[in-house]
Amino acid sequence: MSLASSAAPLPRRTGLFDLLRPGARAAFMILAVSAVLLLFLAPIIILVVTSLRPGWGVYYIHRGTEFTLANYVEVFQRGVVIEAFFNSFLVATAATILSLGVTVTSGYMLSRFKGWLPKTWFTSIYVFRTVPYISWVLPLYVVNESLGLYDTFFGILAAHVAVHVCFFSWIMKGFFDGIDPSMEYAAMIDGCTRWGAFRRVALPAAGPAIAALGILSWLWTWNEFLFALILTGNRTPLLTVTMAQFVTELGTEWNLMSAMAVMAMIPAVIITLFAQKYVIQGLRI
């Protein structure tokens, strides 16, 4: 008998969780999951309850039974709120479509091509991504003001698309790196051009990733505040800026702000629920 076979197996280390009884393990897991859910759901619950409380009761949401829908009615009666919802939806959708049109081809070029052009493009977006996000605001404001694009849809769209292209091109490159290029080579051997192989082979394979990227892009633009605050005004009111206008010199109207925040969450929650499988599939590529 060899020395290796005769050696006794090392004892398995037992952790604190292994020392618990099965019933105690189940109770521990239930408590842990409940704590995590409470951590993430507590702010949403407080927001919803605040939106249903009268103005004088927002600081006492933990007690009292006075609830009302008047906050939602009052918010909807302000015409700028409806306009802000429409403008935000339009900007988020347009920015997502335009940025995907650039980032998909940009990510494919960075993944499949070699040479000075992809290297120059990669270096450019890398340099732009190293710049802190907040420091983009002043240059963009100066450019928009000098070109007459301040407080216009084109001005805010250009800013969002620029940020999306610099950030999401990296993500699309990673997605295309995970796709085997042999099918594209086979398509080109059969007579397809590089563009045809991209359109018929690579693009369908990256469909879930593109869908996931589109959802993340839309949600980011829908919730963005800094660009909307600096680059827009009264002509193009957006959702996040309009929500901040409930902070006045007389105080903060927490009940109205919460009601508008709950209404702003509804489209994002619906899109996330229906598109959750596409996000998971895209992140697995």
Side-chain angles (χ1 to χ4, degrees):
M1 182 178 295
S2 64
L3 182 61
S5 61
S6 61
L10 295 176
R12 179 176 176 269
R13 290 185 177 183
T14 58
L16 179 61
F17 189 77
D18 297 327
L19 297 177
L20 298 176
R21 295 182 179 181
R25 295 180 189 176
F28 178 80
M29 289 300 298
I30 293 174
L31 290 175
V33 172
S34 301
V36 172
L37 289 177
L38 183 62
L39 177 66
F40 286 98
L41 292 179
I44 300 176
I45 295 173
I46 294 174
L47 181 69
V48 174
V49 174
T50 303
S51 70
L52 296 173
R53 295 284 284 175
W56 55 266
V58 294
Y59 299 104
Y60 308 98
I61 61 172
H62 58 284
R63 64 177 184 266
T65 58
E66 294 81 6
F67 296 100
T68 178
L69 295 176
N71 299 326
Y72 292 90
V73 176
E74 184 174 350
V75 168
F76 266 115
Q77 286 177 346
R78 302 190 180 189
V80 68
V81 172
I82 305 299
E83 186 180 0
F85 268 93
F86 177 78
N87 291 343
S88 293
F89 182 83
L90 182 64
V91 169
T93 304
T96 299
I97 295 173
L98 293 175
S99 61
L100 283 181
V102 178
T103 53
V104 172
T105 54
S106 171
Y108 184 78
M109 179 186 69
L110 294 174
S111 176
R112 295 292 190 262
F113 292 90
K114 306 298 180 184
W116 67 270
L117 182 59
K119 290 181 179 180
T120 303
W121 176 241
F122 181 82
T123 303
S124 300
I125 62 177
Y126 179 82
V127 170
F128 279 114
R129 284 307 304 166
T130 58
V131 177
Y133 169 68
I134 193 171
S135 59
W136 285 48
V137 176
L138 182 59
L140 285 172
Y141 172 79
V142 173
V143 171
N144 282 5
E145 185 67 28
S146 61
L147 296 177
L149 299 177
Y150 175 74
D151 201 10
T152 63
F153 285 109
F154 186 82
I156 189 68
L157 271 176
H160 282 295
V161 172
V163 173
H164 291 176
V165 168
C166 292
F167 182 70
F168 293 139
S169 292
W170 283 19
I171 300 179
M172 282 309 306
K173 178 185 181 300
F175 287 146
F176 282 116
D177 286 342
I179 299 175
D180 188 2
S182 60
M183 295 298 294
E184 300 169 43
Y185 298 149
M188 287 188 287
I189 293 174
D190 291 339
C192 277
T193 62
R194 168 64 77 172
W195 172 254
F198 165 73
R199 186 166 54 88
R200 293 183 173 88
V201 180
L203 199 59
I210 296 172
L213 200 62
I215 294 163
L216 296 177
S217 174
W218 193 93
L219 292 175
W220 190 88
T221 308
W222 178 261
N223 295 318
E224 201 279 328
F225 175 73
L226 186 60
F227 283 176
L229 177 65
I230 303 300
L231 301 180
T232 62
N234 295 328
R235 289 184 296 175
T236 56
L238 295 179
L239 183 67
T240 50
V241 178
T242 305
M243 194 182 307
Q245 292 176 358
F246 290 106
V247 181
T248 66
E249 63 275 8
L250 299 179
T252 303
E253 298 175 299
W254 293 109
N255 53 331
L256 302 182
M257 183 185 290
S258 300
M260 189 171 179
V262 171
M263 290 189 294
M265 286 173 52
I266 293 175
V269 170
I270 292 175
I271 291 177
T272 303
L273 290 177
F274 280 96
Q276 183 179 6
K277 62 177 182 179
Y278 298 106
V279 175
I280 295 174
Q281 291 176 3
L283 295 179
R284 287 179 177 176
I285 292 180

